[in-house]
Amino acid sequence: MKTRGGGVLLHVSSLPSPFGVGDLGPAARRFVDFLAAAGQIYWQILPLNPTDPLYDNSPYHSISAFAFNPLFISPELLVRDGLLAEGELEPVVPELASRAEYEKAIAVHSRLLPLAFERWRGAGVTDCEYGRFIRRESWWLEDFSLFQALKVEFGARAWVDWAPELRDRHPGALEAARHRHADRIALEKFTQYIFHRQWSELKNYAAERGVHVIGDLPIYVDADSVDLWSHPHLFKLDGAKRPWVVAGVPPDYFSATGQLWGNPVYNWEALRAEGFRWWIERIHHNLRLFDRVRIDHFRGLVACWEIPAGAQTAVSGRWVEAPVSDFLVRLARSSASLPIIAEDLGLITPDVREAMSQFGLPGMKVLLFAFGGDMARNPYIPHNVPEDCIYYTGTHDNNTARGWFETEAGPSERGNLNAYLGREADAESVAWDLIRLVLSSRADTAVLPLQDILGLDASARMNVPSTAHGNWRWRCNEEHLCDGVAGRLLAATRIYGRG
């Protein structure tokens, strides 16, 4: 990412689609075409793992660190491949819908994927690509498929509440379950294969047009996940296999009481004893999917904010160090390069900076943080931003640029912004004022949320940290991805040498 360039932040779920949420189908290709027409070389997305309505379908809560979200499978591509008939597709949201409808998407895919599976299985054609996928991914796919089947058997109960012989993975009980649920396991494997096939096609389509994909890796996994069920010794669990400490962050810009995420934290000594194998496999798995990988909450690899299980806020937590140097040395030895971006926002201590510097990992800067306090020394203001970083107007956790200006920026911040611009900002133009500051900066890479390119207000915000409901639902529509918008972005991209 030493080349001066630009990109757009937009999750797959935010793409247009008539089936509830965005997917990997025709609209995804049209978005790639939009990026290419706008002179962009990066498409940054959020995690692609399965989501859970219990967590408002947050992409940062998942039952698996390795599996893919079946809601992103395109029904239209299943028709193209002869696995569904055109008449079996029924649009469930209006063409210009601006909100994702996960409940409808779940219903659509729960109906269509078994149909496609039975048609694929009934064709009796040997699929060599499927065989290669199963062999290559068996190290996580076997456990994941069985986990999903057992979830159905136990009425979606958490794995710690399953029958003891299955909770504790007795070999005989696992083998019996595999025979008992053979059909469901086969469906799960097929679903993961279809996602991988559609994703590979889209990734290749983007590469042919000079667009590189930046993926996102959540640092933690959920307590009720196949990862904990398969590897409980790699996490800090009590005798009942429940977390006795959980993850979060101390009070910061986003929350006065910190953020209580509730995820289990890693047993780093157990990970080190195994040569960090689970983590290294996870990184390489993501690097096969993406051109670059952002590690969310990178500082958790240096030290974790551990909060006693049962606490109501994150205030009572404490920092516990992790062997980041040992891990990154082992990771570096396993790969010719480390195309990793470290999410280093929030409370960042010198040890985090040292680890990033030692291994040459670029960090992130957010312009919306630049206008409070002493602008001359603010690390997020354009004149202080280093070349080796990814510079954003905002991320999925921020308000839109216009929303920030209209609802969050106080008189002091507005005054600082006006002073920096040399004129008075207004709601109609502020998003593009900030975009030009990011594009004109020294940062090698500039990434802009599509909402800011479109100048949208707070109603288009993707996520409000520390809130449990109403997030992850914003969607664009085909009218947003027009030639006029692409042309405006292309012109600015060229002016600031990012073409």
Side-chain angles (χ1 to χ4, degrees):
M1 305 186 77
K2 299 294 185 182
T3 302
R4 188 169 173 82
V8 176
L9 170 61
L10 182 76
H11 193 32
V12 172
S13 66
S14 295
L15 289 165
S17 169
F19 304 109
V21 301
D23 58 42
L24 306 179
R29 285 163 173 75
R30 289 193 289 273
F31 181 65
V32 170
D33 294 338
F34 168 85
L35 293 174
Q40 305 305 293
I41 60 175
Y42 296 110
W43 176 11
Q44 182 169 337
I45 62 174
L46 305 184
L48 295 178
N49 309 103
T51 56
D52 189 336
L54 181 66
Y55 295 104
D56 207 33
N57 290 287
S58 165
Y60 295 92
H61 280 281
S62 184
I63 58 170
S64 173
F66 298 93
F68 312 114
N69 193 337
L71 300 184
F72 296 158
I73 291 174
S74 166
E76 292 160 295
L77 294 185
L78 292 176
V79 171
R80 179 204 66 182
D81 294 339
L83 298 177
L84 291 176
E86 187 74 43
E88 291 169 330
L89 306 190
E90 297 178 8
V92 295
V93 297
E95 183 178 349
L96 299 181
S98 62
R99 305 289 287 173
E101 298 284 354
Y102 282 95
E103 299 79 7
K104 293 179 179 179
I106 291 169
V108 166
H109 287 77
S110 296
R111 178 176 65 86
L112 295 181
L113 288 174
L115 279 176
F117 169 62
E118 292 301 333
R119 206 157 286 156
W120 173 81
R121 183 161 65 170
V125 177
T126 301
D127 190 332
C128 296
E129 184 185 353
Y130 172 78
R132 287 192 294 270
F133 173 79
I134 294 298
R135 289 190 296 273
R136 185 178 65 245
E137 309 296 334
S138 62
W139 54 277
W140 65 265
L141 185 58
E142 292 294 336
D143 278 334
F144 172 76
S145 301
L146 178 57
F147 183 85
Q148 288 288 75
L150 290 172
K151 270 287 191 180
V152 174
E153 177 179 336
F154 288 100
R157 277 184 287 166
W159 68 269
V160 292
D161 296 323
W162 293 352
E165 64 274 14
L166 289 168
R167 177 198 64 199
D168 298 332
R169 297 178 58 84
H170 294 176
L174 295 181
E175 188 61 28
R178 289 189 184 97
H179 286 291
R180 188 166 66 248
H181 297 298
D183 285 345
R184 179 71 193 204
I185 289 170
L187 171 60
E188 294 293 342
K189 291 180 178 179
F190 166 80
T191 298
Q192 292 298 305
Y193 164 64
I194 289 296
F195 179 101
H196 185 271
R197 189 169 75 181
Q198 291 191 0
W199 174 257
S200 296
E201 288 182 10
L202 179 59
K203 174 75 163 43
N204 291 336
Y205 186 89
E208 290 167 357
R209 286 149 185 81
V211 176
H212 304 264
V213 181
I214 302 174
D216 200 343
L217 189 155
I219 187 170
Y220 296 118
V221 299
D222 284 3
D224 188 22
S225 68
V226 62
D227 307 288
L228 260 74
W229 179 59
S230 302
H231 307 283
H233 64 293
L234 299 182
F235 302 86
K236 293 185 176 180
L237 308 180
D238 61 21
K241 297 190 174 180
R242 299 177 187 273
W244 56 271
V245 286
V246 296
V249 292
D252 62 8
Y253 169 89
F254 293 108
S255 173
T257 58
Q259 296 180 48
L260 178 58
W261 296 334
N263 304 83
V265 297
Y266 296 103
N267 180 345
W268 281 104
E269 289 309 310
L271 282 160
R272 176 154 48 189
E274 295 185 358
F276 306 102
R277 185 176 66 247
W278 184 88
W279 253 104
I280 290 173
E281 288 175 341
R282 188 182 183 198
I283 295 284
H284 285 303
H285 177 72
N286 279 269
L287 290 177
R288 287 192 294 271
L289 297 170
F290 312 115
D291 299 295
R292 304 284 187 274
V293 174
R294 186 193 86 121
I295 298 182
D296 186 55
H297 192 59
F298 176 83
R299 74 138 307 114
L301 295 178
V302 181
C304 172
W305 186 253
E306 292 190 358
I307 307 160
Q312 297 303 302
T313 72
V315 173
S316 60
R318 67 186 183 100
W319 289 114
V320 177
E321 291 186 358
V324 63
S325 292
D326 290 351
F327 165 55
L328 290 178
V329 165
R330 186 68 66 97
L331 177 62
R333 289 173 180 168
S334 71
S335 178
S337 64
L338 292 180
I340 289 171
I341 299 165
E343 185 272 293
D344 58 341
L345 305 175
L347 180 60
I348 301 299
T349 47
D351 52 352
V352 180
R353 298 285 177 223
E354 290 169 10
M356 292 170 60
S357 176
Q358 179 183 357
F359 294 92
L361 305 181
M364 297 171 56
K365 301 295 181 185
V366 174
L367 180 57
L368 293 187
F369 297 158
F371 301 104
D374 182 5
M375 277 198 304
R377 294 176 176 81
N378 190 300
Y380 300 103
I381 204 75
H383 62 261
N384 288 331
V385 168
E387 292 180 7
D388 191 20
C389 77
I390 295 81
Y391 201 16
Y392 301 79
T393 47
T395 74
H396 61 274
D397 282 333
N398 295 103
N399 207 334
T400 65
R402 179 171 181 165
W404 167 82
F405 181 80
E406 291 181 320
T407 66
E408 294 182 14
S412 175
E413 288 176 301
R414 286 192 177 202
N416 282 340
L417 172 60
N418 293 338
Y420 204 79
L421 293 174
R423 59 175 178 78
E424 187 169 343
D426 62 74
E428 289 294 326
S429 65
V430 69
W432 270 87
D433 289 336
L434 296 179
I435 284 172
R436 291 187 184 93
L437 290 179
V438 168
L439 294 179
S440 65
S441 72
R442 295 167 48 206
D444 287 329
T445 305
V447 175
L448 310 170
L450 183 62
Q451 294 96 312
D452 289 348
I453 296 168
L454 299 173
L456 300 180
D457 62 20
S459 65
R461 183 171 184 166
M462 193 65 166
N463 180 49
V464 181
S466 297
T467 63
H469 302 287
N471 298 311
W472 315 111
R473 290 185 176 266
W474 179 77
R475 292 177 61 200
C476 69
N477 59 60
E478 297 288 357
E479 292 182 350
H480 290 143
L481 305 179
C482 64
D483 292 343
V485 175
R488 185 181 189 185
L489 182 55
L490 175 63
T493 298
R494 285 176 170 170
I495 287 171
Y496 297 114
R498 297 186 183 276

